[in-house]
Each structure stands twice: as structure tokens, then as C-alpha cells.
Amino acid sequence: MVDLRALVAYLDTLLECGRIQDYAPNGLQVEGRARVGRLVTGVSASLALLEAAREAGADAVLVHHGYFWRGESPCVTGMRRARLALLLEAQMSLLAYHLPLDAHPKLGNNAALGRILGLPQDGRFAPGEGPEIVFWGELPEPLPLAELARRVATRLGRDPLVVAGGEHPVRRIAWCSGAAQGYLEAVAARGFDAYLSGEISEPTFHAARELGVHYLAAGHHATERYGVRTLGEHLAQHFGIEHRHVEIDNPV
């Protein structure tokens, strides 16, 4: 067992939350039991995840996508009421880490995604103001785009949507999980051959072709399910607590 406050303090320090501005509060979002012996992790704090955590007897739930996003309604009604009611009735704490989890160089989403895809992690950069959340690497040998797409499909269990930015092979590749398609221009300005993220929007198709950068949209959920699991495994080892990762399938 670990004291909840000690767990939160450790995470806040480990993920350097104090230096990162975000769109939602990072850390403890809903307070439950004072001590944590069983931790459940998942990508998003959906009702399905919370129900699975309650069934597993979790004391706390750790996610990448939590609550209280900037600009969303503060009213606790409907869907929000059901989620919060379950947490409070079960006395389960909710901990959420968004950009800090994307940015961590070893335990974060992008670090874990790179390992899953077998990509060398040679560096990372900030695409604008904010943390260094775009990771990059240089492959030992140039890789045809079709072969890279097959690797992504095999290792993530889903076919990426691929936009060819030309006929060149991939040697230098950058990646950033989730809804990071807007960083494509910053990637192109640094001379990368390809860029992989989670989502794609209509302008991204044209931008990739005109900028000459291959773009692979591998799924928001699929690219962000590894960091929180890695973090949960680290916490289990560090504090000697039980950990279970719950995968709530999401095709987006």
C-alpha cells in the first residue's frame, strides 16, 4: 500500500507537471481512499473503464485523458454525473496526466510508441510553445513507405491511413501520439521524411503532399495506449502495489 498523497507527489515530480501548461488539470482529479494498494490504468476515464476498475477492486485509476478540460461545461449532469458518481461511491481516486505523459522521455506515450514501432529515439523537440513532445529518429537504412505502413499495422493492430508526400523512402521520421496532426509543418521545416501521429483532418492530406512529408495516421487511441500502461508498471514496481491495465477498445 502507498499513501495517495505520496503517490500523487511522486507522479507530479516524475512527470514534471510544474513546468508544463496544459488544457486540463494534471494530477489528482477526484479523491478517493487515502491509501492505494491496487491501481488500474487506461487511456480515457470513460464509464466503461471506471466500471472495469470497480470490478477489479481498484483503489485508484490512472489515465491519460481525464476530466475538467478547458472550455467544457462545468455542470455535473448526465454523462459527467454518472462518471463522478461511480468514482465517489466506489471511493476510487482518479489521477490524470495529459501532456506530461506525452512528453516523458522514457515512460511517456511517445517514448513507448517509439519502442513498440522499433524506431530509434534520437531526440525530441517542441513544435511551438510548450513541452518537447515530438520525438524523432533516424533509421539505420531507408525504409519504403509501404513497409513502414505494414510495420505500423502489425505492431499496433490496425491499418494506418497513409498519405504519401512523394516517392522517397523514409530515413528520418518524427512522431507524436494523439491529435498532433497540426505539427506537420514544424516537422517538415526540420527536414523529416515522414511523420506519424494519431489523427488526421481534412487539411492534413493536402499539407502532407505539398510539404513533401509522408503522413501516417495510426489512431488516437492506438498511439496512446502504451504510455499509461508503462507508467502503471513502473509504479507497481516502485511502490510494490498491484497494477492492471484495462484496454477499452476504441477505433478512433
Side-chain angles (χ1 to χ4, degrees):
M1 300 284 281
V2 60
D3 184 83
L4 174 63
R5 295 294 173 179
L7 176 63
V8 174
Y10 177 81
L11 282 166
D12 288 351
T13 300
L14 176 69
L15 300 177
E16 300 183 291
C17 293
R19 72 175 185 87
I20 297 177
Q21 293 187 341
D22 212 333
Y23 316 108
N26 288 295
L28 182 61
Q29 291 191 339
V30 179
E31 185 176 359
R33 299 184 189 92
R35 294 183 62 77
V36 177
R38 185 171 297 169
L39 176 71
V40 162
T41 58
V43 176
S44 299
S46 64
L47 188 63
L49 176 66
L50 300 182
E51 289 172 340
R54 179 178 60 185
E55 185 175 345
D59 301 303
V61 181
L62 173 63
V63 298
H64 179 50
H65 300 136
Y67 303 151
F68 314 116
W69 297 93
R70 183 190 304 164
E72 85 174 5
S73 171
C75 299
V76 182
T77 59
M79 177 181 70
R80 295 180 187 85
R81 180 191 181 281
R83 291 173 172 180
L84 290 171
L86 191 157
L87 282 165
L88 294 171
E89 290 169 5
Q91 298 186 61
M92 290 190 305
S93 296
L94 176 66
L95 293 78
Y97 293 90
H98 185 230
L99 292 182
L101 186 59
D102 288 324
H104 196 276
K106 294 182 179 179
L107 302 174
N109 285 325
N110 290 307
L113 178 62
R115 288 193 295 271
I116 290 291
L117 295 178
L119 301 175
Q121 184 180 317
D122 294 323
R124 54 190 180 130
F125 65 87
E129 295 183 1
E132 297 175 317
I133 58 173
V134 179
F135 286 48
W136 65 271
E138 186 166 331
L139 301 176
E141 299 290 338
L143 193 66
L145 177 60
E147 188 173 335
L148 175 62
R150 283 194 292 272
R151 180 192 296 189
V152 172
T154 299
R155 300 194 181 187
L156 298 189
R158 56 171 292 160
D159 292 328
L161 192 156
V162 180
V163 180
E167 298 183 0
H168 56 277
V170 178
R171 184 67 181 264
R172 300 181 72 241
I173 181 171
W175 66 93
C176 186
S177 65
Q181 65 267 33
Y183 300 151
L184 183 59
E185 285 192 65
V187 168
R190 288 167 172 80
F192 289 97
D193 302 311
Y195 178 49
L196 182 146
S197 187
E199 296 186 11
I200 187 168
S201 57
E202 196 274 342
T204 311
F205 172 81
H206 303 291
R209 296 180 69 182
E210 293 171 29
L211 291 168
V213 179
H214 302 313
Y215 182 73
L216 297 89
H220 194 135
H221 179 86
T223 58
E224 293 196 325
R225 62 188 172 200
Y226 302 105
V228 71
R229 182 172 67 188
T230 301
L231 182 58
E233 292 168 352
H234 169 80
L235 294 172
Q237 183 176 17
H238 183 81
F239 289 107
I241 60 176
E242 295 181 40
H243 166 247
R244 176 184 171 190
H245 182 77
V246 174
E247 174 70 9
I248 303 296
D249 188 49
N250 187 334
V252 176

